[in-house]
Amino acid sequence: MQVREAMSSEILVVGPEHTLRQAARMMSARGVGSAVVIDPDSEGVGIMTERDVLKAIGAGLDPDVERTGAHLTWDVVYAGPDWTVEEAAAAMARGGFRHLVVLDGREVAGVISVRDLMRVWAREHTPTVT
């Protein structure tokens, strides 16, 4: 199965000037563990994860003051929509992360998460009852 078949194509996008609280509220409302961060003043796409928010708050930073741009990952490993889910899982395991931004050319096509991979795995490994 390819990443395009397993990824979430409805992604949450935030800007680098959103506060951590705003990003966390939006992620919570959408039931997602990450937000794609697009900064119109720079090249590339970043990702803000629930782990980034947790690290900042755990360090005693104020989520109403801190901006996503200061706490996200810019050094992102991107997946292609033609990757297999096995390739995506291997990249996540190597990098120690739970989300991959999926780029189709230079455009964000979606995000694939460990949750997406587990859903695929469960569907493919659940015995059918006859």
Side-chain angles (χ1 to χ4, degrees), residues 28-51:
S28 178
R30 296 274 297 271
V32 297
S34 68
V36 172
V37 183
I38 299 177
D39 183 350
D41 296 330
S42 70
E43 290 190 33
V45 175
I47 189 166
M48 164 69 60
T49 68
E50 56 202 356
R51 186 174 289 169

Side-chain angles (χ1 to χ4, degrees), residues 10-91:
E10 292 186 28
I11 57 170
L12 173 61
V13 176
V14 299
E17 292 302 316
H18 281 93
T19 66
L20 293 181
R21 185 176 310 277
Q22 289 170 322
R25 280 187 177 150
M26 288 185 275
M27 291 188 320
S28 178
R30 296 274 297 271
V32 297
S34 68
V36 172
V37 183
I38 299 177
D39 183 350
D41 296 330
S42 70
E43 290 190 33
V45 175
I47 189 166
M48 164 69 60
T49 68
E50 56 202 356
R51 186 174 289 169
D52 296 321
V53 175
L54 183 65
K55 284 180 184 177
I57 292 173
L61 301 176
D62 185 344
D64 292 314
V65 174
E66 295 296 318
R67 305 293 174 184
T68 60
H71 298 280
L72 57 89
T73 303
W74 283 111
D75 188 21
V76 177
V77 174
Y78 302 106
D82 296 335
W83 282 23
T84 65
V85 292
E86 292 82 8
E87 289 172 310

Side-chain angles (χ1 to χ4, degrees), residues 2-5 7 79-84 102-105 109:
Q2 291 182 314
V3 164
R4 73 167 41 87
E5 300 168 85
M7 70 183 188
D82 296 335
W83 282 23
T84 65
V102 181
L103 291 184
D104 192 358

